[in-house]
Amino acid sequence: PGGAAATSLYVAFIGLPVLALIIRSAREQDFWSGLSSSLALQALQLSITTSAISIIIVILVGTPFALLLARSNCVLLKIVDSMVELPIVLPPVVAGVAMLMAFGRQGIMGPALTGIGISIPFTTVAVIFAQIFVSAPFYVRAAKLGFQSVDHEYEEISLTLGVSPWHTFWRLTLPLAAPSMLTGLVLAWARAISEFGATIMFAGNLTGRTQTMPLAIITAMESSLGAALALSVLLLVASMLVLVALGLLTSRSRQTQR
């Protein structure tokens, strides 16, 4: 009885705001106009573009990094491994301030970047930096667990059969670790596209330049509730798609293990 009561309370607490958002959006007369407004379209395009670039960079850098963490016994790497989740527990606003102190004009790298004509803060590049900072740990951690789950004996057998280490990685290691990597990839993308705190501190809220969907919601609330609800529903749908994707990946992973 206690478990049933707790479950009902949790479902009501989580489900009621979601249901209220959907109902209010359906009643809003300017919902569709808000969905097709320039504010919503620009924010949606910017969010999709920047999050896609961020995830590509996370994959290219995070995959070899995760493999090294999974296979190396270096003490220094173990210390680095323990700090991988720091961006997850670090408040996003603090992350934005930290990047501003690192890459801003008065930051550690600021004078050097300014000297070669590069300015990162309050640009689209700053949005990508913020998204990578907060989303990369989700992929790196999942990829590391995936590589650790691969039996070393399979790789050793492949090498003894004359297969090169590179082909062994692509044909054996990577496919076996793929379910965990895909799970981390989905979580990383969801975190990147929903990033708010670090973005507003490091990139600002410039329409068409740094204003992603979460920032556009804050802006729309000041003038058009319909546009704010439209963007909120879009992010809600994206979140639900993430849950569905995670469910499919988990089910596929269990079937593969069997």
Side-chain angles (χ1 to χ4, degrees):
T7 301
S8 300
L9 181 62
Y10 177 82
V11 171
F13 182 77
I14 300 298
L16 184 59
V18 175
L19 184 62
L21 174 64
I22 296 175
I23 293 176
R24 183 57 189 271
S25 300
R27 293 178 178 178
E28 195 68 26
Q29 294 181 354
D30 58 343
F31 173 81
W32 293 108
S33 61
L35 190 63
S36 59
S37 64
S38 60
L39 177 69
L41 294 178
Q42 287 179 353
L44 178 61
Q45 180 181 4
L46 182 64
S47 294
I48 293 176
T49 302
T50 55
S51 63
I53 295 174
S54 300
I55 292 304
I56 292 174
I57 296 175
V58 167
I59 293 174
L60 294 178
V61 178
T63 301
F65 176 45
L67 181 61
L68 183 62
L69 291 177
R71 299 298 169 82
S72 177
N73 293 321
C74 178
V75 177
L76 180 60
L77 283 177
K78 290 184 178 180
I79 298 175
V80 174
D81 186 20
S82 64
M83 301 297 291
V84 168
E85 287 91 353
L86 179 61
I88 297 178
V89 300
L90 191 69
V93 175
V94 177
V97 173
M99 285 189 290
L100 197 59
M101 295 301 100
F103 304 107
R105 292 183 178 179
Q106 303 300 324
I108 295 176
M109 298 294 296
L113 293 173
T114 303
I116 58 177
I118 297 178
S119 178
I120 297 178
F122 307 106
T123 64
T124 305
V125 175
V127 176
I128 297 174
F129 271 40
Q131 292 177 346
I132 293 174
F133 188 92
V134 300
S135 65
F138 292 93
Y139 176 76
V140 172
R141 180 57 63 199
K144 177 198 169 185
L145 295 176
F147 288 132
Q148 287 179 334
S149 66
V150 179
D151 195 335
H152 292 288
E153 293 184 358
Y154 296 153
E155 296 175 326
E156 292 175 357
I157 293 173
S158 176
L159 294 175
T160 57
L161 294 176
V163 182
S164 66
W166 182 253
H167 283 85
T168 298
F169 173 77
W170 280 101
R171 297 180 180 180
L172 179 66
T173 306
L174 194 61
L176 291 176
S180 297
M181 296 174 66
L182 289 175
T183 300
L185 181 63
V186 172
L187 290 175
W189 177 82
R191 183 65 185 88
I193 202 170
S194 63
E195 164 51 31
F196 175 81
T199 303
I200 198 170
M201 291 299 299
F202 185 48
N205 187 14
L206 307 176
T207 303
R209 189 176 179 183
T210 65
Q211 188 179 81
T212 57
M213 292 178 66
L215 299 180
I217 292 175
I218 297 296
T219 303
M221 287 293 292
E222 301 175 357
S223 58
S224 174
L225 180 60
L229 290 174
L231 288 170
S232 299
V233 170
L234 282 177
L235 286 179
L236 174 62
V237 172
S239 300
M240 294 177 66
L241 291 176
V242 167
L243 290 177
V244 173
L246 283 176
L248 293 175
L249 290 174
T250 303
S251 176
R252 181 180 178 182
S253 177
R254 290 178 179 175
Q255 292 177 358
T256 303
Q257 292 177 356
R258 291 177 182 177

